Amino acid sequence: MDRFWPVPEVLTYLNGRWRAERTVRDLTGGDEGRFEGAVVFTPLECGGLLHEESGDFTWRGVTRPAERTLRFLPGPGGTADVRFADGRPFHRLDLTAGRYAADHPCAADLYRGEFTVRDADHWRTVWRVRGPAKDLELTTGYTRTT
């Protein structure tokens, strides 16, 4: 049985630096990629957090730099409203039970994320992406570094 670590306030929990290790599996073609890098959550003036991820992504033997930016805005009851850098909505995040599932429709694709917290310094996401031309699974482990 999996045990989850409840997080009463997601923004307080995430604040700081994390190491990220992600595997990306193409479930149709069998290809597998890997991302290794850092994620830094820094406070925004609005009370939320800026999520900045950077590292190296290897796919089909080719390694390239990769980065993304998200905004985690305060939500009710210790939750967060996660948005893309340009302000478009991504998903809600509620870790009060230590586990949460979220959906994000994107054109013809559906992203389904599962978030789990193991302890004060470790959490994980698993995104399953399905659509006419996609069948992917992205699993990321996060370890606090500061």
Side-chain angles (χ1 to χ4, degrees):
M1 179 170 106
D2 288 329
R3 292 202 287 159
F4 306 110
W5 199 72
V7 172
E9 213 312 310
V10 69
L11 297 177
T12 301
Y13 176 77
L14 293 175
N15 191 27
R17 296 182 163 278
W18 300 82
R19 175 180 164 83
E21 295 182 7
R22 177 177 304 124
T23 58
V24 179
R25 296 182 349 170
D26 180 340
L27 301 176
T28 301
D31 289 323
E32 191 166 306
R34 183 162 182 81
F35 171 85
E36 293 182 12
V39 177
V40 180
F41 288 90
T42 55
L44 291 166
E45 287 184 22
C46 68
L49 295 173
L50 183 66
H51 163 283
E52 295 175 293
E53 176 180 291
S54 61
D56 293 315
F57 180 58
T58 303
W59 184 257
R60 295 182 177 163
V62 177
T63 301
R64 294 188 171 103
E67 60 184 36
R68 74 173 173 166
T69 301
L70 299 169
R71 295 180 184 279
F72 284 60
L73 304 178
T79 66
D81 174 22
V82 183
R83 297 190 168 257
F84 293 104
D86 64 6
R88 289 177 299 126
F90 188 11
H91 63 85
R92 182 173 178 251
L93 183 58
D94 179 352
L95 296 177
T96 54
R99 182 178 188 188
Y100 186 73
D103 288 339
H104 173 73
C106 183
D109 301 326
L110 177 64
Y111 288 66
R112 175 165 255 289
E114 182 179 299
F115 303 79
T116 55
V117 181
R118 195 172 77 205
D119 59 35
D121 298 319
H122 300 89
W123 62 290
R124 181 176 94 143
T125 64
V126 178
W127 282 99
R128 183 69 192 271
V129 185
R130 291 183 175 159
K134 292 180 184 173
D135 193 4
L136 304 171
E137 185 177 77
L138 296 82
T139 303
T140 308
Y142 298 88
T143 303
R144 187 181 305 277
T145 59
T146 59

